[in-house]
Amino acid sequence: MTNTINQEDIHFELQKLLDFEEVANYLCSLCIKLIGADGCAINTWSPDSQTLKISAIKLPKQFKDIEATYHDYRINCDEDDPNISVFNSRKAESFSDLSQLSSHSTTYSRFERWQLKHLIIAPLTDGTDCAGTIMLMHSSPPKACIDEVALD
């Protein structure tokens, strides 16, 4: 099995997709395949509710049966959560143990519950505006790292 996908294949798949949720799920699948993540979540900004909403999520294999529970979960903009920090700063953050996270954050709880060894959170940005964040979950130290996922 190869970890390469050519640009034409991506373009073809994106043309077949009907809505943002499908695009977000496809992006999660690409991140898992190309970066070697065990899970991925895309959180999109909802200005009306001032929250980041989980628009797509693919959990590590042992937690697949609870994925639907987290779909549409919202993180309030005033929560002490690294997704909010990354969204506001537009700078990626990497976490390799629980002590790096506030014990009050929902991300802390997920890190612990999903038995993660490494978590990367990056902004979904075009360099100016931020549409949300992407979380790359690793059950072991990651093979690759990203600084930013840019939307063009």
Side-chain angles (χ1 to χ4, degrees):
M1 186 170 129
T2 179
N3 278 350
T4 60
I5 299 175
N6 69 44
Q7 206 168 10
E8 290 170 7
D9 289 341
I10 293 171
H11 188 271
F12 177 74
E13 288 296 320
L14 289 174
Q15 282 181 324
K16 294 190 314 186
L17 301 176
L18 301 176
D19 63 25
F20 177 76
E21 188 174 310
E22 290 180 22
V23 173
N25 279 312
Y26 182 66
L27 181 57
C28 276
S29 296
L30 278 178
C31 286
I32 289 168
K33 183 172 184 174
L34 297 176
I35 296 172
D38 297 303
C40 178
I42 294 180
N43 306 300
T44 53
W45 180 245
S46 299
D48 294 342
S49 61
Q50 296 289 292
T51 60
L52 282 172
K53 178 184 88 164
I54 296 179
S55 297
I57 188 164
K58 296 203 181 287
L59 292 176
K61 291 175 192 164
Q62 66 269 37
F63 300 106
K64 288 285 183 202
D65 53 341
I66 62 167
E67 258 178 15
T69 305
Y70 291 96
H71 193 274
D72 287 338
Y73 178 84
R74 293 177 183 269
I75 304 167
N76 291 316
C77 69
D78 58 357
E79 280 187 47
D80 181 16
D81 190 278
N83 281 286
I84 298 298
S85 296
V86 167
F87 176 78
N88 288 329
S89 71
R90 288 153 174 73
K91 291 186 181 358
E93 292 187 33
S94 180
F95 305 94
S96 56
D97 70 51
L98 282 172
S99 67
Q100 294 176 281
L101 297 165
S102 165
S103 61
H104 302 292
S105 76
T106 55
T107 300
Y108 176 96
S109 301
R110 290 188 301 258
F111 192 104
E112 184 176 46
R113 192 176 308 126
W114 298 338
Q115 303 165 359
L116 300 177
K117 302 293 184 225
H118 198 89
L119 176 66
I120 299 167
I121 304 173
L124 293 171
T125 182
D126 63 2
T128 304
D129 295 321
C130 193
T133 62
I134 184 167
M135 292 177 29
L136 301 173
M137 304 166 219
H138 300 272
S139 298
S140 58
K143 299 173 194 162
C145 185
I146 62 169
D147 289 326
E148 184 177 283
V149 177
L151 295 176
D152 291 323

